[in-house]
Amino acid sequence: TQIGSLTRVTALDFSSNQLSLALPTELGSLVDLSVSFDLTANELSSTIPTQLGGAVKLASSFQLASNKLSQGLPTQLGQLEKFKGTFAVESNSLCGFVPSEVQALSYSVTAGWTVASGNSFGTPCCQVTSGFNCLPVVGLDTSTTTSLALSTGEYTATVPTQVGLLTEVTALDVGFNSLTGPLPTQLGAMTKLSAQAVFSSNQLSSSVPTELGMLTGVVANFELDDIGLTSTLPTELGILTGVANWFVMEQNDITGSIPSQFGRLTSLTANFRLASNNLCSEVPTEVEALSSGVAASWKVVTGNDIGTPCCETLSSVYTCTPTGAPSPVPSSVPSPSPTASPYPSLAPSPLPTPLPSSLPSSMPSSAPSPLPTAEPTLVPSPVPSAGPSPGPTTPAPSSSLL
């Protein structure tokens, strides 16, 4: 199992050896596999791990032919969307039906698509593998069968795709069995389901089919808890607006964020449970708004990574966007009024600085002159300013006075 630590391996080839036992689920940790994955011609047994669907970079070669692998092809292999090379799983003991997600890969494969040869695809696994007890749905009258109450604990193997032919069924309960393999996409054809759609407590290994969003008539007991579901929550489930009680998908391996479309489930009054998965990011405000109407059992945060960006909890799947440079645009519109301050930044000038004047200042530039400011009279002063004059003082003409 330590092979899962080789996370930088781009090609893995152990073909034509004598490897036995089960394929380790840790192979799903080889997220950088991009060239080839080849275990052809060994003695490998058990099932194909759903975790191999995580090798989303794989493009050239996926080969598990000529082993002893059993049961069905995991729907998760449909995530290998870059695949264009050789896809070979022939000559095993595979059964059931090729999932539509996997079959879709065949349209882009150019080097070789060998799947059906040497397997039992098209036949329910419980009919070709000992120890399995199929759900008794094959052969039922499709026009008169209206209820499937099969939660007895005795059924194994996969859910037959023929269940989708029972389009008159209004109540389906296959919970608390030991069912394995994927949830068939054909369930979406059961559009008259209304009372319940219960798959709780099984051993399924499946992504959540988007086709379940077509079951818009379900008003109660939409229960897919504790069954090994993987991948993300389909946005299409937000269309199930009639569900009033028991929208339950807790205790699985569901990843990613909660779709904001779940906020449309406004009929819910009790039991909204998504706890104990691998959900991340924030709870959308549209979904959080439902909590005020759910009177009992609102379980979302417990057992998840709510509040943590998905790129931190699932770095192999999500990439964090680096924080950009600060925006030069101000965060708010500047106020047209000046910012008031209780204290001026500088002491105000007591007087404005005047422009220089070409005229002399009216103020004296020095101490006042001892001369009288009044004009002298023409009458001579009776007090002589010096000694007695020998003759009378003749007054000067008035025009020459300064």
Side-chain angles (χ1 to χ4, degrees):
T1 58
Q2 289 80 0
I3 196 171
S5 62
L6 304 177
T7 54
R8 295 187 178 181
V9 167
T10 59
L12 185 70
D13 188 347
F14 288 110
S15 60
S16 300
N17 283 286
Q18 298 178 11
L19 302 177
S20 59
L21 299 178
L23 281 171
T25 58
E26 288 79 6
L27 289 171
S29 299
L30 306 182
V31 293
D32 279 342
L33 271 179
S34 57
V35 180
S36 66
F37 177 80
D38 192 350
L39 296 174
T40 304
N42 281 286
E43 300 290 327
L44 298 171
S45 59
S46 78
T47 61
I48 298 175
T50 61
Q51 289 83 353
L52 288 179
V56 294
K57 297 179 182 179
L58 193 60
S60 299
S61 176
F62 182 91
Q63 301 191 58
L64 288 171
S66 301
N67 280 286
K68 297 179 180 180
L69 300 171
S70 61
Q71 297 194 42
L73 280 174
T75 58
Q76 288 84 349
L77 294 181
Q79 298 174 23
L80 308 181
E81 297 178 349
K82 294 183 179 180
F83 199 83
K84 300 183 183 300
T86 301
F87 191 94
V89 294
E90 79 272 17
S91 300
N92 280 286
S93 298
L94 300 173
C95 50
F97 295 84
V98 178
S100 57
E101 296 91 338
V102 178
Q103 188 64 45
L105 298 178
S106 65
Y107 301 115
S108 58
V109 167
T110 58
W113 178 267
T114 53
V115 172
S117 177
N119 288 305
S120 299
F121 286 119
T123 304
C125 292
C126 55
Q127 295 181 11
V128 297
T129 306
S130 61
F132 286 94
N133 184 22
C134 286
L135 286 171
V137 298
V138 179
L140 292 177
D141 191 323
T142 58
S143 61
T144 60
T145 303
T146 59
S147 178
L148 291 174
L150 301 172
S151 58
T152 62
E154 61 184 294
Y155 298 110
T156 57
T158 58
V159 180
T161 58
Q162 289 93 332
V163 71
L165 300 175
L166 304 175
T167 55
E168 298 297 317
V169 170
T170 60
L172 171 63
D173 186 354
V174 295
F176 299 93
N177 285 294
S178 298
L179 300 174
T180 59
L183 277 174
T185 58
Q186 289 82 353
L187 287 168
M190 304 178 73
T191 54
K192 289 190 178 181
L193 279 174
S194 57
Q196 58 183 357
V198 178
F199 294 89
S200 304
S201 299
N202 278 286
Q203 300 171 22
L204 302 173
S205 56
S206 173
S207 57
V208 186
T210 59
E211 290 80 1
L212 294 181
M214 300 172 66
L215 307 180
T216 55
V218 177
V219 296
N221 299 95
F222 183 80
E223 301 179 39
L224 287 82
D225 54 304
D226 191 23
I227 57 176
L229 292 175
T230 58
S231 76
T232 58
L233 291 169
T235 60
E236 288 82 356
L237 296 185
I239 305 173
L240 304 182
T241 55
V243 178
N245 194 7
W246 295 95
F247 186 95
V248 181
M249 301 183 72
E250 63 186 340
Q251 297 181 11
N252 285 294
D253 291 314
I254 300 170
T255 62
S257 57
I258 301 173
S260 60
Q261 289 83 350
F262 279 22
R264 300 173 61 186
L265 305 178
T266 53
S267 297
L268 269 174
T269 58
N271 298 298
F272 183 77
R273 302 183 183 180
L274 302 177
S276 301
N277 279 286
N278 294 307
L279 297 173
C280 46
S281 192
E282 302 291 339
V283 178
T285 55
E286 299 91 336
V287 177
E288 189 64 40
L290 298 177
S291 63
S292 59
V294 175
S297 197
W298 174 271
K299 296 184 178 180
V300 175
V301 176
T302 303
N304 287 305
D305 291 308
I306 300 297
T308 304
C310 292
C311 59
E312 294 183 12
T313 61
L314 300 167
S315 58
S316 62
V317 180
Y318 300 92
T319 302
C320 286
T321 303
T323 303
S327 173
V329 180
S331 57
S332 61
V333 179
S335 172
S337 302
T339 302
S341 174
Y343 302 105
S345 57
L346 293 173
S349 174
L351 293 173
T353 304
L355 294 174
S357 172
S358 57
L359 299 175
S361 172
S362 59
M363 301 294 291
S365 58
S366 60
S369 171
L371 296 176
T373 57
E375 294 183 0
T377 64
L378 296 179
V379 181
S381 172
V383 181
S385 60
S389 175
T393 303
T394 304
S398 62
S399 60
S400 62
L401 289 173
L402 293 177

